[in-house]
């Protein structure tokens, strides 16, 4: 059979052992091809039901009593589910605050522990606000630190040699995104962590674009610190709270700079002297946003049921299928790969580059002439970023996205759209 | 008519011009007397409906597109409603993070602006984690600051003289709770702010126990900075995000220490050098928890409809009624006032003290012998804290609470309960 045919895509879906998981999500509009689950995951069916229970029963009827019948333990309970996805122990993970605030807290305490060392290493492909937070921390510490960014030579990858060149015997902290937000380049976490430890530097991984996308084993890689986002692949809903990881043996040595209510040992003693909680809870701050936080549980149950290895397997197969279609249909039209070809260097999203990338994105989102609505996202200057979320992405979705991109360029549909840029997450 | 009779309580309710507002809340259980709205406000009816819309329509159907059709502006939109309750301009308030994180950010930047001045003043009645955060900040700044706590001589109030004695020409920052969490003592915000400014100290008010409880006019008092909580009187739901206020003319001089994604100017340029947003948005950090945040809007609409002056008027009347009942029924049984008697020194909750306070609280919560379930909260060592939330508290609720307290002590019901303390928010 012609591997470029629509029928072939449908056959791949029919044979997909994970196809049933799509039914767990609210995806009723068959005219919608959603390839932005790496920015905001789709609503799980059980979440809608569970939200009603949390709002009407737990808050509405239980009122303040619900703190003692589940709410207090929920950040730990949900963290224990996330721990299973990232190769950590339950008592090494907590759900709290945003990724920004968590990165701030952990990078601060790492720099404090490593005082005397003045180097901070990251890379030029990192998510910009991860760099902003480091710049802010450098200012807090009196501008004694030198922030060195390993450079990418192709705009897609960063070599391990480049990281090694930036690391020195004065490096306090190396912090990188495990999977890079734009190109989906994925580091070998274990190798990089080991490289960093050899120089005496601590390592903080940002898992925002890798948790729920690829298997992660923080303990196996002996990672010190990590943070991550839950509203992308983990489908926690818009702005659902983030998580952080601190390896068990480091917890007593580290302390959040934000000496908050939920990080205190025995907060209900109302003692006036701060005493950090003994475990991972010391990295919490204020009261967690319980409605947003609760919504993570139904989605995490689906992940644990599907299993990260099976999901990764499907993600790689779908990406390779997509790349075949790209090479056949899109490469001749001026599209190029903005992501690594090698699957072991790639997360679960793919960026395609095109000089008209921004207008092509707008045309994809617009329904026209029987074409589906295709939702990717756009990343400067010319990246069309497509997220493969194997719990609910179909091969047929990828097929339709490629055919629409081809048509948009072939038939100059994109010229109907403005080059003025709006916000797109 | 006998002012201590049940009939009198019912008449007060019948004549209450705000009685209709109770219908906006989910309070179906007539056997429940909820006097903990100052810890966790009750669920507004419209919130349950709105949550369904936000989850199913905005997230479920709108998906990532909802960021461009309302989510980005929502923290500002809700802040503009809160601004009306606290006497601020819309562009001086933003909804973000938790009270702890907001206090951290604002106290940090105030201490930074005031470097050279080494005094930090607060009081011994402040919420403990407000003090913890100051202790943590002192450590960040190299332990050069001296944290001075104005003392309370009666455990209930703090005199203005006591504050004045702690303020010096080297004071960088004065930070106080406008209404104290345990005793409900309320400062004269304008006088204290003026006192502080005379010494060159900046002022940061924690409005957690006063927003939605008493009228506040930050601009009139020329307040520099404020933070506040939204899940107490404002009924935002468990852990709903907090707000912060920075007076307009100070915004450009101050900068959050957490250089996050949402505080950046033009975050979607993906520039690698942090540039704070020009206005109040610079004090945001990561992506806001949109579900928890959205739930504030229905409740704030009710507040704006009722008006803070009318709510305060009812709150004072209810408190005075309650104090009459206390004097008649409870004072003879060993209860004492843990709150100021003078209404202009008191917020909207009342603490009663009793040596058996903890067990009395447990007995109140327990349904027994036709008595209602009465939910207050307990605060160490012996405070039974009762929140008056005039949007939904009835005079008859206060009557029933007093009668149950009387019965619990009269008939020794409390002796059936454990003295072992559990968490109660």
């Amino acid at each position: 059979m012609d591997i470029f045919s629509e029928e072939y895509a449908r056959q791949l879906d029919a044979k997909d052992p994970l196809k049933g998981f799509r039914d767990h999500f609210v995806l009723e509009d068959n005219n919608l091809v959603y390839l932005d689950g790496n920015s905001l995951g789709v609503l799980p069916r059980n979440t809608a039901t569970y939200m009603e229970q949390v709002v009407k029963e737990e808050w509405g009827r239980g009122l303040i009593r619900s703190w003692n019948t589940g709410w207090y333990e929920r950040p730990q309970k949900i963290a224990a589910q996330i721990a299973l996805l990232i190769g950590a122990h339950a008592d090494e993970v907590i759900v709290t605050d945003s990724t920004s605030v968590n990165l701030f807290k952990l990078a601060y305490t790492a720099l404090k522990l490593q005082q005397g060392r003045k180097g901070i290493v990251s890379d030029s492909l990192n998510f910009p606000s991860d760099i902003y937070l480091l710049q802010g921390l450098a200012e807090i510490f009196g501008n004694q630190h030198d922030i060195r960014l390993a450079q990418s030579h192709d705009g897609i990858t960063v070599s391990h040699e480049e990281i090694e060149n930036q690391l020195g015997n004065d490096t306090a902290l190396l912090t990188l995104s495990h999977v890079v937000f734009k190109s989906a380049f994925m580091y070998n976490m274990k190798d990089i962590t080991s490289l960093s430890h050899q120089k005496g530097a601590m390592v903080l991984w940002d898992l925002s674009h890798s948790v729920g996308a690829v298997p992660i084993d923080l303990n196996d890689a002996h990672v010190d610190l990590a943070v991550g986002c839950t509203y992308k692949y983990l489908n926690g809903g818009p702005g659902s709270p983030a998580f952080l990881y601190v390896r068990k043996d480091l917890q007593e040595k580290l302390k959040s700079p934000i000496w908050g209510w939920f990080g205190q040992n025995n907060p209900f003693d109302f003692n006036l002297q701060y005493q950090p909680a003994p475990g991972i809870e010391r990295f919490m701050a204020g009261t967690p946003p319980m409605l947003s936080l609760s919504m993570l549980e139904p989605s995490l149950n689906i992940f644990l049921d599907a299993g990260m290895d099976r999901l990764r397997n499907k993600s790689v197969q779908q990406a390779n299928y997509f790349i075949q279609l790209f090479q056949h249909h899109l490469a001749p039209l001026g599209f190029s790969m903005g992501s690594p070809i090698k699957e072991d260097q790639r997360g679960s999203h793919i960026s395609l580059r095109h000089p008209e990338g921004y207008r092509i994105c707008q045309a994809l989102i617009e329904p026209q002439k029987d074409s589906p609505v295709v939702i990717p996202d756009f990343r400067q200057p010319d990246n069309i970023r497509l997220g493969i979320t194997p719990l609910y992405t179909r091969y047929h979705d990828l097929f339709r996205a490629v055919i629409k991109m081809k048509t948009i360029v072939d038939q100059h549909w994109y010229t109907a759209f403005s080059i003025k840029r709006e916000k797109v997450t």
Side-chain angles (χ1 to χ4, degrees), chain A residues 233-272:
Chain A
Y233 290 93
L234 297 187
N235 313 308
S240 57
F243 64 89
L244 61 81
Y245 155 93
V246 179
R247 203 179 61 232
K248 190 65 187 171
D249 62 290
L250 286 171
Q251 290 174 8
E252 292 294 307
K253 296 180 193 159
L254 300 173
K255 199 164 65 174
S256 170
I258 304 175
W259 294 9
W261 176 232
F262 268 67
Q264 162 76 347
N265 195 21
N266 300 322
F268 288 91
D269 285 352
F270 294 99
N271 197 309
L272 284 185

Side-chain angles (χ1 to χ4, degrees), chain A residues 88-99:
Chain A
H89 290 96
D91 61 359
E92 294 175 318
V93 183
I94 194 74
V95 181
T96 180
D97 295 311
S98 63
T99 310

Side-chain angles (χ1 to χ4, degrees), chain A residues 84 87 107 120 142 197 281 322-323 330 378 400 417:
Chain A
L84 294 171
I120 302 173
H197 284 171
E281 289 81 6
F322 180 83
I323 291 168
L330 302 179
F378 174 74
R400 290 202 289 175
F417 294 89

Side-chain angles (χ1 to χ4, degrees), chain A residues 117 124 137 164 189 245 248 325 334 336 370 397 401 421:
Chain A
R117 290 175 167 253
S124 63
L137 284 164
E164 196 164 10
M189 178 182 277
Y245 155 93
K248 190 65 187 171
L325 295 184
S336 63
D370 303 327
D397 293 333
R421 310 236 159 139

Side-chain angles (χ1 to χ4, degrees), chain A residues 98-372:
Chain A
S98 63
T99 310
S100 293
V101 171
N102 288 340
L103 198 136
F104 174 83
K105 292 184 291 190
L106 295 192
Y108 177 88
T109 186
L111 293 176
K112 186 88 181 169
L113 185 69
Q114 297 268 66
Q115 55 192 340
R117 290 175 167 253
K118 300 302 181 196
I120 302 173
V121 176
S122 187
D123 72 31
S124 63
L125 300 184
N126 205 347
F127 196 70
S129 63
D130 287 24
I131 308 295
Y132 304 157
L133 286 154
L134 297 175
Q135 292 165 349
L137 284 164
E139 194 172 291
I140 288 175
F141 280 100
N143 295 313
Q144 306 157 16
H145 290 87
D146 179 22
I147 300 175
R148 299 170 205 146
L149 300 185
Q151 297 297 312
S152 168
H153 297 299
D154 56 5
I156 296 174
T157 62
V158 179
S159 69
H160 285 205
E161 292 67 36
E162 181 65 24
I163 298 288
E164 196 164 10
N165 289 341
Q166 300 302 332
L167 289 169
N169 291 325
D170 72 331
T171 305
L173 178 68
L174 169 68
T175 178
L176 296 167
S177 289
H178 179 213
V179 170
V180 159
F181 81 105
K182 199 182 292 184
S183 73
F185 169 63
M186 176 168 66
Y187 281 103
N188 181 315
M189 178 182 277
K190 194 167 180 173
D191 286 358
I192 293 285
T193 302
S194 165
L195 208 57
S196 191
H197 284 171
Q198 283 163 32
K199 305 275 187 176
M202 292 180 77
V203 185
L204 193 173
W205 288 101
D206 184 339
L207 307 177
S208 292
H209 290 82
S210 59
V211 63
V214 297
I216 298 168
D217 197 335
L218 296 178
N219 283 166
D220 178 62
H222 205 59
V223 168
D224 304 302
L225 309 165
V227 297
C229 167
T230 64
Y231 53 76
K232 298 175 183 289
Y233 290 93
L234 297 187
N235 313 308
S240 57
F243 64 89
L244 61 81
Y245 155 93
V246 179
R247 203 179 61 232
K248 190 65 187 171
D249 62 290
L250 286 171
Q251 290 174 8
E252 292 294 307
K253 296 180 193 159
L254 300 173
K255 199 164 65 174
S256 170
I258 304 175
W259 294 9
W261 176 232
F262 268 67
Q264 162 76 347
N265 195 21
N266 300 322
F268 288 91
D269 285 352
F270 294 99
N271 197 309
L272 284 185
Q273 184 59 49
Y274 180 70
Q275 171 78 40
I280 191 74
E281 289 81 6
R282 63 172 53 194
F283 301 100
M284 297 181 83
T287 308
M290 196 48 62
L291 304 184
S292 280
L293 184 141
S294 300
M295 292 311 102
L296 275 161
E297 195 175 329
S299 176
L300 289 168
N301 286 335
I302 305 172
F303 271 96
L304 296 174
D305 196 13
M308 275 316 301
D309 289 333
R310 290 204 296 166
L311 288 169
R312 173 61 175 171
N313 190 39
K314 178 173 169 186
S315 161
V316 168
Q317 285 181 20
Q318 289 195 311
N320 290 341
Y321 168 73
F322 180 83
I323 291 168
Q324 283 183 309
L325 295 184
F326 150 77
Q327 282 162 342
H328 182 74
H329 288 301
L330 302 179
L333 294 173
F335 288 86
S336 63
M337 276 289 282
S339 294
I341 294 285
K342 290 184 192 165
E343 60 193 51
D344 64 347
Q345 289 193 347
R346 199 178 60 222
S348 195
H349 65 275
I350 290 177
S351 279
L352 293 186
R353 307 184 66 168
H354 190 285
E356 286 291 350
Y358 182 67
R359 295 204 284 177
I360 293 168
C361 269
Q362 290 176 278
L364 279 168
I365 294 166
E366 192 81 4
Q368 57 181 321
K369 298 185 188 161
D370 303 327
S371 74

